[in-house]
Structures are given as structure tokens and as C-alpha cells.
Amino acid sequence: TGLEPGTYSTQVTVKATDSSGTQVQGSPQILTVTLTVYQPCSLQVAPNNVLFTATLLQPNPAGQNIAVKETGNCAYPVSWTASVDANSRSWLSVSNVSGTGNSTIVVYASSKGMLIGQHSGQITFSATDNRGVVLQNSPQAVQVTLTVIG
């Protein structure tokens, strides 16, 4: 507990004596013990901010990519989900709401029917490994801003 990822090694000396207290032949024995601590399985989402600009005449700016990755010692496959907050679903969408492994999704925004100004939304990513264990850094939020200009 509390060890940073890496390899740790030590030696253990085992001494044996008989009932009279005399050291047994072949004693002591020296054993090498090695412990490897792996990096925990972690969710990585990038970028964590996405900015869109749209005009009233061109309400659909180009989609933007978000990379979803897992790093560390994971129990594969890793499954992830993406959800758009309820207040933004009218203008914000994603190409995939779930997947496995390293993926790229596309985020879309539409200013159709929206007022001029700045609108904020959020996409939340969650991930679990094949045992159902939640990954470190999960859930993770991506902030999305849509600026509508005249």
C-alpha cells in the first residue's frame, strides 16, 4: 500500500537450526523477493475543453475530435460511455455514446434556433474494466462552449 509504480527488490535470509541449536547444513539461505507495482488503469480524455463558433447563416460548425484512452495496467477490454448534460442536448451531440478501448469520438454543435451569445455544455466520460472496476480519473468531464455570432 502506498508504493509508487515501479519494481522493488529485497533479500530475505532464512536460518535453520536443529533441536540442539546447531545451524543446519545449507543454512542460511538467501532469497531475493521482487515486487512489481503497476501503474493503475486510468481514463485519459483530451482535450478537456472544446470551443465552437457558429453564425446564424452557418449554424453547424465542423465537428471536433476527442480522444478517449486508457493507460496503465488495465483488465481489457475497457468500456467507456459518453453522456451530454441534459441542458445541452438540444445543440450538443457526440458521434458515439459508448465504446471499448482507445477511441476517437466527434463532438458536434448546432446553433440552429439558438440566441446570439455564449452557450456552455458538458460531456461526461466514464469507464470500467472487464471486471466492472471503475478506472482512475473516471468520470471525467469535457467542457464545451458554443459562441453564436450574428
Side-chain angles (χ1 to χ4, degrees):
T1 300
L3 291 176
E4 293 295 318
T7 301
Y8 300 86
S9 188
T10 191
Q11 291 187 329
V12 177
T13 302
V14 179
K15 295 181 182 177
T17 56
D18 63 17
S19 59
S20 66
T22 305
Q23 191 165 314
V24 180
Q25 183 179 352
S27 178
Q29 291 285 317
I30 299 174
L31 306 168
T32 300
V33 178
T34 303
L35 170 68
T36 302
V37 178
Y38 293 103
Q39 183 75 29
C41 189
S42 177
L43 175 65
Q44 305 294 320
V45 178
N48 57 9
N49 286 295
V50 177
L51 305 173
F52 289 99
T53 301
T55 66
L56 297 178
L57 296 176
Q58 293 185 326
N60 298 315
Q64 296 188 42
N65 292 341
I66 294 180
V68 182
K69 296 181 183 180
E70 68 274 353
T71 61
N73 189 38
C74 300
Y76 295 101
V78 170
S79 300
W80 57 265
T81 60
S83 61
V84 175
D85 69 286
N87 294 332
S88 306
R89 291 183 187 145
S90 63
W91 62 270
L92 180 61
S93 63
V94 293
S95 59
N96 295 312
V97 294
S98 65
T100 57
N102 294 339
S103 304
T104 299
I105 69 163
V106 183
V107 179
Y108 300 100
S110 173
S111 66
K112 186 175 181 181
M114 296 184 75
L115 298 174
I116 292 175
Q118 200 171 68
H119 307 272
S120 297
Q122 181 174 288
I123 305 167
T124 302
F125 291 87
S126 300
T128 58
D129 67 14
N130 72 353
R131 298 178 304 233
V133 176
V134 175
L135 273 59
Q136 240 184 14
N137 297 333
S138 177
Q140 201 167 122
V142 173
Q143 302 303 316
V144 181
T145 303
L146 170 63
T147 302
V148 180
I149 56 177

